[in-house]
Amino acid sequence: MFFILAESIIFDRRMTNSSSNLAPTVMPFPVSDELLGTFVPIAVYWIYSGIYVLLGDLNHYRLHTKAEEDKKNVVSKRTVVKGVLIQQAFQIAVSLLLFTFMSGDSGVVLPQPSLPVIFLQFIVAMVVMDTWQYFMHRFMHINKFLYKHIHSKHHTLVVPYAFGALYNHPLEGLILDTIGGALSFLISGMTPRTAIFFFSFATIKTVDDHCGLWLPGNLLHIFFNNNSAYHDIHHQLYGTKYNFSQPFFITWDKILGTHMPFSLEKRKEGGFEARPIKKIN
């Protein structure tokens, strides 16, 4: 998850700033922004991925057939749900533990900056998160020990689907998502309230990148080249050396030569297939 360590640092920074000349205001809600930042993205994860489940198979928009999914994925969906819940529980525990050591009773929140400033903070946070995740993700592929014992768990889903987006080893979630989220928050300078929306958006983007569908009119596909088809290339056995970038942009792949462009072809039996354009080494 993107938000656990960040929310604990948020709490500490809010306590420090509450005594400064920023003139913080009394928080109008009984639940702190820190706790909301911990639990709201989890709720968003299950709600958004649940929408994809309710939509059904949508065979005309799938990037893989149902038969491929059943054949290539070596773990059951029940195991995936259990694994995601375990990871989320682990990171909630980390959050609450840190809250215990950094707790206070000031009940104040920092004032929100203007919308242009919030927009800029979003962009900065997205760039920071992409940078951290690209290099950590790629390192987990290069290092055979890390891949075998940690990252390979995520790649047991050769055919991704929405609620399997965070089917990771807990240490991977801690290294990639939690630390990456903390860096994004700290460097961007966003407030705890803004962080709730940012980490919820990052969660939606991650789920969408793993949905396994190419839906017409999907705004995330329109505004981001890093999308479900782009990430699907990475999940295939031939694509594990390419398309490491996640979850927003493809910049680092292009800069460092790991970008694999694709064409989206219609299958005779319905749906689409993302096919690599360049020669695979």
Side-chain angles (χ1 to χ4, degrees), residues 188-246:
S188 69
M190 62 177 56
T191 66
R193 186 67 50 83
T194 301
I196 296 171
F197 293 97
F198 174 73
F199 292 127
S200 295
F201 174 62
T203 298
I204 289 173
K205 184 66 174 61
T206 300
V207 170
D208 205 80
D209 289 347
H210 290 81
C211 70
L213 299 169
W214 189 264
L215 294 177
N218 187 326
L219 293 178
L220 294 176
H221 293 173
I222 294 172
F223 289 105
F224 294 95
N225 290 325
N226 196 336
N227 49 47
S228 57
Y230 186 84
H231 196 64
D232 181 76
I233 294 291
H234 176 73
H235 268 261
Q236 304 315 300
L237 297 179
Y238 60 75
T240 55
K241 295 181 180 179
Y242 304 97
N243 295 7
F244 297 106
S245 293
Q246 58 183 42

Side-chain angles (χ1 to χ4, degrees), residues 136-153:
M136 291 298 101
H137 183 195
R138 187 175 180 181
F139 183 63
M140 285 190 176
H141 276 270
I142 294 173
N143 187 291
K144 293 181 179 180
F145 178 85
L146 290 178
Y147 184 83
K148 179 179 179 180
H149 296 284
I150 296 179
H151 189 55
S152 63
K153 181 175 181 177

Side-chain angles (χ1 to χ4, degrees), residues 75-84 161 163 167:
V75 289
S76 68
K77 290 185 175 179
R78 182 175 181 177
T79 300
V80 169
V81 171
K82 181 180 177 182
V84 173
Y161 48 80
F163 63 84
Y167 181 64

Side-chain angles (χ1 to χ4, degrees), residues 89-144:
F90 170 76
Q91 296 192 0
I92 288 172
V94 171
S95 175
L96 296 179
L97 181 63
L98 291 173
F99 286 158
T100 300
F101 289 102
M102 306 169 77
S103 60
D105 299 311
S106 67
V108 296
V109 295
L110 297 175
Q112 286 292 96
S114 64
L115 287 179
V117 172
I118 292 175
F119 177 78
L120 180 60
Q121 290 172 337
F122 257 66
I123 298 299
V124 171
M126 291 162 72
V127 171
V128 172
M129 182 174 287
D130 263 26
T131 301
W132 176 263
Q133 293 216 359
Y134 175 86
F135 287 101
M136 291 298 101
H137 183 195
R138 187 175 180 181
F139 183 63
M140 285 190 176
H141 276 270
I142 294 173
N143 187 291
K144 293 181 179 180

Side-chain angles (χ1 to χ4, degrees), residues 3-190:
F3 43 86
I4 302 297
L5 182 57
E7 292 305 324
S8 298
I9 296 172
I10 288 169
F11 193 89
D12 181 61
R13 193 173 78 176
R14 195 184 71 176
M15 293 303 103
T16 301
N17 289 339
S18 66
S19 60
S20 69
N21 58 2
L22 290 176
T25 56
V26 177
M27 184 164 60
F29 303 109
V31 180
S32 70
D33 287 345
E34 290 75 27
L35 286 178
L36 287 175
T38 299
F39 289 99
V40 168
I42 292 176
V44 167
Y45 180 88
W46 292 109
I47 292 170
Y48 191 64
S49 61
I51 291 173
Y52 276 113
V53 173
L54 292 176
L55 288 175
D57 286 335
L58 296 175
N59 292 322
H60 292 297
Y61 304 105
R62 291 178 64 100
L63 295 173
H64 297 271
T65 64
K66 190 68 168 62
E68 273 188 286
E69 179 184 316
D70 295 337
K71 179 181 179 180
K72 292 183 177 181
N73 290 351
V74 297
V75 289
S76 68
K77 290 185 175 179
R78 182 175 181 177
T79 300
V80 169
V81 171
K82 181 180 177 182
V84 173
L85 288 173
I86 289 174
Q87 176 176 309
Q88 290 174 335
F90 170 76
Q91 296 192 0
I92 288 172
V94 171
S95 175
L96 296 179
L97 181 63
L98 291 173
F99 286 158
T100 300
F101 289 102
M102 306 169 77
S103 60
D105 299 311
S106 67
V108 296
V109 295
L110 297 175
Q112 286 292 96
S114 64
L115 287 179
V117 172
I118 292 175
F119 177 78
L120 180 60
Q121 290 172 337
F122 257 66
I123 298 299
V124 171
M126 291 162 72
V127 171
V128 172
M129 182 174 287
D130 263 26
T131 301
W132 176 263
Q133 293 216 359
Y134 175 86
F135 287 101
M136 291 298 101
H137 183 195
R138 187 175 180 181
F139 183 63
M140 285 190 176
H141 276 270
I142 294 173
N143 187 291
K144 293 181 179 180
F145 178 85
L146 290 178
Y147 184 83
K148 179 179 179 180
H149 296 284
I150 296 179
H151 189 55
S152 63
K153 181 175 181 177
H154 183 69
H155 278 274
T156 56
L157 296 181
V158 178
V159 178
Y161 48 80
F163 63 84
L166 292 181
Y167 181 64
N168 302 319
H169 190 287
L171 285 179
E172 178 175 347
L174 183 66
I175 295 170
L176 263 70
D177 300 331
T178 304
I179 297 177
L183 292 172
S184 299
F185 164 75
L186 288 172
I187 295 174
S188 69
M190 62 177 56

Side-chain angles (χ1 to χ4, degrees), residues 249-264:
F249 309 114
I250 62 174
T251 308
W252 285 112
D253 277 322
K254 286 193 169 185
I255 292 174
L256 296 177
T258 55
H259 175 244
M260 175 57 72
F262 63 90
S263 63
L264 205 58

